Every structure is written in C-alpha cells, then in structure tokens.
Amino acid sequence: MRLRDYMHINVWLLPILLVLIPVILILFGSAFMTTPSTYYMTILNEGWSVKHGDFEVENAALKNLDIGTANTNDIVVISRLIPKEEVPSACLMFRSIQAAVTATIDGKVIYSYGDDYALRGELIPKHFNVIPLGDISEVGGKRITITFRVYEDNAFSGLSEVYYGNRNDVELAYIQKKRLPFFIGGFLTLFAFLLLTLSSYLYMYHGHDLSLIFSSIISFVLGAYNLAFNDIFCFISDNEVYFCLLEYVTLYSVPFAIITFLVSSHPELNTILNKTLIAINALFPIITLALHLFKVVHINNFVSTLHIIALSEAIMILPQLVLNVAKRYNEQKKSPEFTPRTSDSVLVLGLVIFIICSVVDIIKYNIFKFFVAGGEVSVDINFMTIGALCFVLCLFVFYFYHGIEHINSIYMKEHLEGLAYTDSLTGLMNRAKCMQYMASVQGNFALISLDMDNLKTVNDSLGHQEGDRMLSSFADILKQTFAGSALIGRTGGDEFLIAIENPVKGTCEKLIDDLRSRIKTFNQTEKSFNLSTSCGFAYSDEVSEKDANNVFVLADNRMYEEKESHHASKIDRFVNDIIGSSLHGKGGEADHA
C-alpha cells in the first residue's frame, strides 16, 4: 500500500485523539469520580482574621483575599476558631510556599516548620503542613493562629486553602482534587521511560538519530514538572528539597528539550542561531542550579527570566518551523506520493497547541501573582498540562507518520535502484550492479563466472523469442541454485556472475554440481533446446590483496579453459561421429560384396 493510501485510511486517528482525549480528561477531572469522605472533611475558607503589614481584615474568606506579594522579612498572620465537630484523628492541612510556619492555640505553640532552612541560608521548599488537633473536645472552639515568616522576595501572594477533618479524608480530598495532573504527569513520565528505552535501542543498532531521545526528555520534563508543580511529590514524600529543585530544573529544561528535538529532527533548523539558543537553554538550568547550590541566588528567582526566554524563542523558532514545513509541503506536492497530511504538520500542530497553552498559563500565572485577589496559590497549569499531553501525543503520531514516510522513501529508493540495476529480461542484477559490487566487496568471498552455451545457435535457428526464453530459464535455475548469494548477475549476453561471501572450502564446487544437476533435470523435459554452461570459480584468498578484479580474472580464465575443453570435446565427438559413420558404410559394402 502506498503512503498516500495509507495516510488517507489512518489520518482520522489524529482528530479522534484530539477530541477524545480532552473529553476523557474532563470526565477524569470532574466530580463524577470523586469518592465521598469516610468521616468528615471541609475546607475552612470563611471566618479568618488576616494581617500582613498594614493590611488587616476580620472575618475574611482566604480564597478571595488580596494580601499583596509577600517579600523577605514579611510576616503574615491568619487566625480563626477551630470547628467543634467531633472528628476522629482531626487535623488541619494547608500548603506553605517559601515561608517558615508556626501554629499556636491560644498562644501555645503546637507546630513549627522551616526556620532551620532559613538559618542555613537555604530555600524553604513548598510544604504540606499537617497539624494534628488531638481531642476536639479540648481544642474545639479555641482560636488557632498560623504565622508565616517570609524569607524570599515575591515568595507568594495569596493564602492556601486550609483543610479540616479526618486526616485520611483530608489527604484523599487533596489527591482527588489533583487527580487530573497526577494522571497526566504520571502518564508523561512513564511514556518518557518507554521512549528512552526504544530510542536507546534504535540509536545503538539503527543509526544516529537523536530526535527520539530528545522526545523522551520532553515527555519526562513536562511530566515531572507537572507532578512537582502540583505538589504530588511533596505530598507523598518527605524529601521536599529534592522535589523543589526538580520542579525548577525541569521547568528550566523545557525550552532546551523542545528546541533540541526540533533541530535534531529537522536538519534545516540546524543554524548558528538555533545552535546558540540550544547552548543558552542548556546552560540556563545548569547555571541557575549551581548558583542555588552555592547559595548565591536561590533558583526560584529565575522564573520570570525563563518566561521571557521561552516566549522570545517561541517567536523565533516557530516561524522557521512553519516556513520549512510549508516549503517541504510545496516540494512534495510534485510527488506522486503526495499527501496533504504529513508528520511535520502533525508536529507543528502539537507544538502550536503546547505553546498557546503555555503562554496562557504564563500570562495567567503573572496576573494572578501580582494583580488578582487569591494570588499565586490560586494558579494552576491545567492549560499547560493539557497542552503537554497533546504535544506528546502529537510526537507519537509524528513518529508514526514519519515511520510510514521513511518506509515509503526506502521502498521508492529500492524500486528506483531496481529499475537501474536489474536486468529486465532475467530479473538478475545487471552489469552496472555487478561492477558496483566488485568495487565495494571486501573480506572473504568467491566469484563464479558462467557462460551459457549455444545461445547464438538457438537465436539463429529458433528465433530470438526462444533465445530469450532460454536466458530466462537459465536465470531461474541460477536463482534456485545460488539463493542467498551476495550477487547473481548477468554481465553480458550469455555471461553471468555469482558472488558468494564468507564461503567455506568446497562451496563453489558443491554449488556448481547442484547447478549441473538442475540443468540436467530441466533438459529432460525441455523439447526446444538444451541448456549447458561453462563455469569457472576463484576464492579471494587465491590472489594477493583479495582484489575483486583479480579474483574475477582468475575465475573467468578458468571458465574459458572449461569452455575450450567443452569445445574440443564437441569437435572430437563430431569427428568420431563422422569417422564412425564412414567406417560403418565401407564395412557394409564389403560384407554385401
């Protein structure tokens, strides 16, 4: 099946994927799949007293509260009465961002976190603060005060939701709320390892194409960043410092992974400008991580810089890619295998979706952090998450279509080479292919030179049609006898060449005996002509330097020696027949007399 027909049959998979996947994700992220609480769980949004510098408010809702941006040395204090509902293993759970936390009940400290990081000059990671309340009958109705001490500029804006209830119910509620990013992030991460395994195998055994490796890197950094940003790692692990760094390093590596993939998969993008961008993108996460580890500047301070770099590079790279795809599209329109749906068009579609979704989330992040009530804690990256999934799926479809195109190009190349190097009458390799093989063969090999007898006689007496059938019949026997040989070719009218690689001693002799046996069997049923051939062979170790031309000359000389022997034998038989007939005639006359 040709590429055009195959694409027409299978291209409907792409729009179905692009429609079906979002529908599934919407259902997956909806309340339809939410498990109800076993005991009791609620979000304490109302009734808080909040103070941040000169800002102070009573009986406020945290979700809609605009406290401004918290900077170094700022202190944010929130407090409210603890609910009186009797809940087994009751607790409060909330998230803190780059801030130390202290919780008190009626002035008594019951919980603290983060000051040890600040004393060491380290970045305080995001943290899920879980405050066990013990016996509700003793603390219910009392005032809990939570103090955030900020050690970073632009650390956070807005206050996290505070969950109250049974600890298992609280944790289950949070996991269910993050079900969609957890699913997509987990899928992208696992898919990355599958791609890495496949790409490593293909790189080692089938060439030096690095694009699939960079595809796995794209899938990993997008998946890992999605999980880290949504606090999945911090929620299930105590190693928050590592996963905090993972969040920023993966985020800072996204531009590098994407632009490197584009350059490796599209050689026309391999320009000095793009190589410079690759170098900048590669150094960015390395330098920021080094500055962080040496406590020069914390890694969180470079997010805005990344946004500027990423947007600038998207403006530079995307038009190049689109123009090159359009150029290739116009060139392919002239091909008989042209199809309007190509692997590049799928890739561009996925990249455009991802860039648009990422730009939306970047704009949303900065607006919420600096200008909107609720602040940074209200921000999600759902657009980028969906965009990342669509992009990775388009990468998968890209390789699917690209594989079809590659197979098709190989088929066309082999077909054209077949036309150029195949003898049209016999289907064997022609003289040009034989000469090409002779020029490239190395190692141990053997050549067999054959000359089919009586072709001219058959052409002259029975006609060229029978001569052509004689050649075709002989070629068919050669194909059967020497199946698996490196070369079976017709070098001239009635001359043939066989090449055998890595032969063992006696290989040529055995094959020639088999050839003569097959010819004998053929002649028993053929009524128009008889096949016969003269053969000569030589092994590469019989000549100095294993030169193919010298091996051929030796084999050809031996073939002509056999041909002369056959010719002399025919003359002897002809003379004997004449002499025998003469003697028989004279004897008959004498007897008769």
Side-chain angles (χ1 to χ4, degrees):
M1 183 179 291
R2 294 188 301 173
L3 172 66
R4 179 175 56 199
D5 302 325
Y6 196 88
M7 297 284 273
H8 285 166
I9 292 174
N10 291 280
V11 74
W12 51 266
L13 291 173
L14 179 60
I16 285 182
L17 281 176
L18 294 179
V19 173
L20 187 60
I21 291 298
V23 172
I24 293 175
L25 295 178
I26 290 171
L27 293 175
F28 193 86
S30 68
F32 176 75
M33 299 182 66
T34 300
T35 303
S37 301
T38 304
Y39 297 102
Y40 179 80
M41 191 285 302
T42 188
I43 296 176
L44 302 178
N45 187 50
E46 307 288 341
W48 289 92
S49 299
V50 181
K51 182 178 181 181
H52 176 211
D54 295 332
F55 176 84
E56 190 169 353
V57 66
E58 297 291 335
N59 197 28
L62 296 181
K63 185 176 181 180
N64 301 318
L65 196 61
D66 186 1
I67 65 169
T69 303
N71 294 301
T72 304
N73 298 323
D74 283 1
I75 295 178
V76 179
V77 181
I78 64 174
S79 66
R80 65 157 288 164
L81 298 179
I82 299 174
K84 295 182 180 180
E85 284 83 1
E86 287 290 339
V87 182
S89 302
C91 71
L92 293 177
M93 187 183 79
F94 58 93
R95 185 180 65 158
S96 58
I97 303 175
Q98 299 167 12
V101 178
T102 301
T104 64
I105 296 180
D106 288 348
K108 180 181 178 181
V109 176
I110 62 169
Y111 175 85
S112 64
Y113 167 80
D115 286 309
D116 53 337
Y117 289 104
L119 291 174
R120 295 194 299 266
E122 298 176 1
L123 174 67
I124 302 175
K126 290 189 298 184
H127 181 69
F128 278 92
N129 301 272
V130 180
I131 304 175
L133 297 177
D135 189 351
I136 290 297
S137 61
E138 295 181 2
V139 299
K142 293 184 179 181
R143 180 166 292 275
I144 184 167
T145 302
I146 302 172
T147 303
F148 299 88
R149 290 178 299 282
V150 184
Y151 293 96
E152 299 286 335
D153 286 335
N154 298 320
F156 63 87
S157 60
L159 296 167
S160 169
E161 296 175 326
V162 180
Y163 291 77
Y164 168 74
N166 173 265
R167 178 160 184 168
N168 288 334
D169 289 342
V170 166
E171 292 177 347
L172 178 62
Y174 183 81
I175 284 293
Q176 291 185 144
K177 182 179 180 181
K178 297 293 184 179
R179 185 169 50 233
L180 179 62
F182 181 80
F183 169 75
I184 295 179
F187 168 77
L188 293 177
T189 305
L190 291 176
F191 188 62
F193 285 107
L194 292 175
L195 281 178
L196 182 62
T197 302
L198 176 61
S199 61
S200 300
Y201 170 80
L202 292 176
Y203 180 77
M204 287 187 294
Y205 295 103
H206 297 283
H208 302 284
D209 184 7
L210 295 174
S211 60
L212 193 58
I213 293 178
F214 290 115
S215 297
S216 66
I217 296 174
I218 290 174
S219 187
F220 173 76
V221 296
L222 291 177
Y225 174 69
N226 181 70
L227 293 174
F229 180 87
N230 287 284
D231 310 316
I232 305 298
F233 292 131
C234 293
F235 190 80
I236 64 177
S237 172
D238 293 330
N239 199 345
E240 298 159 320
V241 174
Y242 170 77
F243 291 116
C244 178
L245 292 180
L246 178 66
E247 176 182 347
Y248 288 106
V249 170
T250 52
L251 174 63
Y252 296 167
S253 300
V254 170
F256 166 76
I258 292 177
I259 191 173
T260 309
F261 163 76
L262 292 176
V263 171
S264 63
S265 61
H266 295 77
E268 63 271 14
L269 296 180
N270 191 11
T271 63
I272 296 177
L273 172 62
N274 292 338
K275 288 180 180 179
T276 304
L277 294 179
I278 289 176
I280 293 172
N281 290 326
L283 291 173
F284 187 76
I286 296 173
I287 293 174
T288 54
L289 180 61
L291 292 174
H292 175 86
L293 294 177
F294 287 104
K295 300 180 181 180
V296 178
V297 182
H298 287 164
I299 197 169
N300 61 295
N301 290 294
F302 298 96
V303 174
S304 296
T305 304
L306 174 76
H307 291 167
I308 295 172
I309 292 175
L311 292 174
S312 301
E313 290 179 351
I315 293 172
M316 287 186 284
I317 293 293
L318 194 57
Q320 295 182 53
L321 183 61
V322 172
L323 289 174
N324 280 293
V325 170
K327 180 180 178 182
R328 187 178 300 177
Y329 176 87
N330 290 328
E331 292 174 351
Q332 291 177 346
K333 286 176 68 175
K334 303 173 183 178
S335 169
E337 292 297 313
F338 168 72
T339 172
R341 305 169 185 91
T342 64
S343 58
D344 281 336
S345 62
V346 174
L347 177 64
V348 170
L349 175 63
L351 185 59
V352 168
I353 292 174
F354 174 70
I355 290 175
I356 291 174
C357 292
S358 299
V359 169
V360 169
D361 274 338
I362 289 173
I363 294 173
K364 186 174 67 173
Y365 172 86
N366 287 282
I367 290 176
F368 270 78
K369 182 166 185 175
F370 298 107
F371 303 108
V372 175
E376 178 186 358
V377 294
S378 303
V379 177
D380 56 49
I381 56 169
N382 288 339
F383 280 103
M384 183 178 177
T385 300
I386 300 298
L389 180 63
C390 290
F391 181 46
V392 171
L393 290 176
C394 285
L395 278 180
F396 177 77
V397 177
F398 163 78
Y399 279 109
F400 177 71
Y401 282 176
H402 186 66
I404 296 173
E405 292 167 353
H406 180 64
I407 292 171
N408 185 70
S409 66
I410 291 176
Y411 168 78
M412 292 298 293
K413 180 180 178 182
E414 290 178 349
H415 180 66
L416 293 174
E417 285 183 351
L419 294 176
Y421 293 123
T422 302
D423 179 64
S424 58
L425 175 61
T426 63
L428 303 179
M429 294 295 99
N430 61 16
R431 182 179 181 85
K433 183 63 177 179
C434 292
M435 295 302 101
Q436 184 188 73
Y437 178 83
M438 295 276 287
S440 61
V441 64
Q442 295 178 348
N444 295 321
F445 61 94
L447 297 179
I448 302 175
S449 177
L450 304 101
D451 187 280
M452 189 180 72
D453 298 331
N454 303 321
L455 176 62
K456 186 177 185 305
T457 303
V458 171
N459 279 332
D460 292 343
S461 59
L462 302 178
H464 285 280
Q465 185 173 359
E466 282 297 287
D468 289 346
R469 190 168 71 85
M470 184 180 187
L471 283 168
S472 297
S473 300
F474 186 71
D476 291 339
I477 294 175
L478 292 181
K479 293 174 187 176
Q480 297 168 12
T481 306
F482 300 102
S485 298
L487 177 75
I488 306 175
R490 180 188 179 195
T491 58
D494 56 0
E495 297 175 351
F496 298 84
L497 178 67
I498 310 296
I500 303 168
E501 294 184 354
N502 299 314
V504 297
K505 186 176 181 181
T507 297
C508 293
E509 293 91 330
K510 182 179 179 181
L511 289 172
I512 291 173
D513 288 342
D514 184 32
L515 173 64
R516 296 194 190 282
S517 175
R518 291 176 185 272
I519 290 176
K520 183 178 180 181
T521 301
F522 175 85
N523 288 337
Q524 290 173 354
T525 58
E526 175 59 44
K527 299 179 179 180
S528 298
F529 52 79
N530 281 342
L531 292 178
S532 64
T533 182
S534 301
C535 305
F537 63 87
Y539 293 93
S540 57
D541 56 10
E542 294 185 75
V543 301
S544 59
E545 301 180 359
K546 297 184 177 182
D547 180 72
N549 289 325
N550 292 339
V551 177
F552 175 74
V553 169
L554 180 58
D556 207 42
N557 288 339
R558 290 172 175 172
M559 182 273 292
Y560 276 109
E561 289 176 5
E562 183 174 287
K563 190 176 184 68
E564 290 297 327
S565 174
H566 287 175
H567 184 64
S569 177
K570 288 180 181 179
I571 293 175
D572 289 342
R573 289 198 301 270
F574 178 72
V575 170
N576 289 334
D577 287 344
I578 293 176
I579 295 175
S581 297
S582 176
L583 291 176
H584 179 72
K586 290 180 180 180
E589 291 174 0
D591 292 339
H592 180 71

